[in-house]
Amino acid sequence: MTRPALLVALACAFALGTVVSGSVRVGSAASLNLSSQNLTPYLTCVITATPSTTSAVTDATVDEANPTTNLAAATTLTVATKSGSNGRAYIKFSLSGCTPSIPSSATLRAATLRVYVSATQPGCQTIDVFPVASSWTEAGITWNNQPFGTTVNNPASGSRTASFDAGSGGCANNPGSYISGADVSADVAAFISGSATNYGWMLRNDSESATPPRTVTFSAKDLGTLSQAPQLIVTYVTTP
Amino acid sequence: MRRLGVLLLASALCGVTVGSAASLALATQGLGAAHLTVPRCTSGGLGVLPNLAGTSVISVTVRSLPGACGGATIQVAVNNGSDSSSGSDTVAGGGGSVTVALANLVPATTTEQIDIVLVGP
């Protein structure tokens, strides 16, 4: 090798040393990539109707037999099917209390509504869960002014977000326990992204004004019992 | 003088390579960020349920873990805004559910944040 060629080779080797250093960074990045592929971070916000005075959760029953009476202070949420005396439950969870706040760009992985079945009558009853499309207040809602109006079996069962059975015997959700959970993921995803406003949900019997009459009651916020309080559990990721 | 000239010339020529290396490093960082979107052991919905002991969260049950997460280490942290605790466990081979006990009780409040990280497998 001639001397000039040797010098060129040495200079290139020096420069390549930097390249090797660069490759160390590449190696580190590759390691990071490997780690990030194997990390699955989930964030969950649990909203619980506790204490009974919290404003983060609002709930109330509306009763066809008492159409102008506000029943928000009741310790139970009553869903009833009986001609002239149907009952529905309204419940809303404020997502703004989550810390950290859920970004609108978050990808929802699951949202589950949990209510505690305090009493039922024999036989399974199907309870439908509908997203509410207009505002209501805990202190003001009645059968007559409820967002879904006073027509029974409205909205149609087909537009429900979720449903669950409740009752004694062979039902999936027995009295004295939480329901296994109503999947309200689609609604909460819309609330988070801003494509829908969070007015909560309405629970009604799948068949109102049915015979024989049936009632399912759930523990309300006002019962003040933590182990039976309504809950919304929202699980999301900030990186898809 | 001639040697110095050759050295400078060679360095300049190889400097292009150095420049490429720097660009490569940046590009790799970009690739690293892109790799964050690569599916991990699950991208599905997990059932997360805080378990109470009295008025405090004592553990967290994570359900619907797919078999692909079997063998992973699951780390759970609960924070109610003023108190926090964490714990970890191993996901069973077939996935399913796992209840992770917290090191300390966390008083239940209106809102709690539960962070879950699956590491591996």
Side-chain angles (χ1 to χ4, degrees):
Chain A
M1 182 180 286
T2 62
R3 183 170 287 176
L6 180 62
L7 288 171
V8 169
L10 284 172
C12 284
F14 173 78
L16 284 172
T18 306
V19 176
V20 170
S21 296
S23 69
V24 171
R25 293 177 64 187
V26 171
S28 299
S31 299
L32 284 174
N33 291 344
L34 187 63
S35 297
S36 60
Q37 285 180 31
N38 289 318
L39 285 174
T40 308
Y42 279 81
L43 303 171
T44 297
C45 178
V46 181
I47 308 168
T48 306
T50 187
S52 61
T53 54
T54 183
S55 59
V57 182
T58 52
D59 61 8
T61 294
V62 295
D63 181 5
E64 188 179 16
N66 298 283
T68 60
T69 303
N70 175 260
L71 301 169
T75 57
T76 57
L77 299 170
T78 301
V79 174
T81 174
K82 181 181 181 183
S83 181
S85 189
N86 293 295
R88 299 171 178 174
Y90 282 79
I91 188 164
K92 184 175 74 174
F93 298 81
S94 172
L95 296 171
S96 62
C98 293
T99 305
S101 59
I102 304 174
S104 60
S105 59
T107 301
L108 191 82
R109 292 295 188 224
T112 305
L113 171 65
R114 300 180 75 226
V115 287
Y116 187 94
V117 183
S118 55
T120 64
Q121 292 166 322
C124 286
Q125 296 296 301
T126 299
I127 308 299
D128 294 338
V129 181
F130 299 92
V132 181
S134 59
S135 65
W136 56 278
T137 64
E138 190 174 48
I141 191 169
T142 66
W143 177 268
N144 276 355
N145 69 13
Q146 61 175 311
F148 281 111
T150 58
T151 303
V152 298
N153 292 311
N154 178 61
S157 297
S159 64
R160 67 192 179 194
T161 289
S163 67
F164 58 90
D165 288 345
S168 55
C171 274
N173 301 292
N174 299 141
S177 64
Y178 273 103
I179 63 169
S180 55
D183 183 358
V184 291
S185 301
D187 294 338
V188 174
F191 299 159
I192 291 172
S193 69
S195 62
T197 302
N198 177 14
Y199 296 117
W201 292 275
M202 183 270 280
L203 280 63
R204 74 160 172 84
N205 193 291
D206 183 65
S207 178
E208 292 186 315
S209 296
T211 302
R214 290 278 185 264
T215 299
V216 178
T217 59
F218 307 98
S219 298
K221 176 182 73 170
D222 286 81
L223 181 64
T225 301
L226 175 63
S227 59
Q228 300 180 25
Q231 273 187 328
L232 180 67
I233 301 175
V234 180
T235 298
Y236 62 96
V237 296
T238 54
T239 303
Chain B
M1 189 64 190
R2 186 180 166 205
R3 287 181 189 173
L4 181 61
V6 171
L7 185 60
L8 288 173
L9 177 62
S11 296
L13 287 172
C14 293
V16 174
T17 309
V18 173
S20 299
S23 299
L24 181 61
L26 283 173
T28 305
Q29 288 173 0
L31 283 172
H35 270 284
L36 287 172
T37 61
V38 173
R40 300 129 188 159
C41 75
T42 179
S43 59
L46 298 178
V48 180
L49 184 64
N51 301 304
L52 296 175
T55 58
S56 297
V57 180
I58 187 173
S59 63
V60 174
T61 298
V62 181
R63 298 178 295 192
S64 306
L65 288 160
C69 293
T73 298
I74 184 167
Q75 301 172 345
V76 173
V78 178
N79 189 327
N80 69 2
S82 57
D83 296 286
S84 64
S85 186
S86 61
S88 66
D89 209 327
T90 302
V91 179
S97 77
V98 60
T99 296
V100 180
L102 300 176
N104 301 299
L105 296 176
V106 178
T109 55
T110 305
T111 57
E112 291 137 16
Q113 182 73 27
I114 302 176
D115 296 336
I116 298 170
V117 176
L118 288 155
V119 183

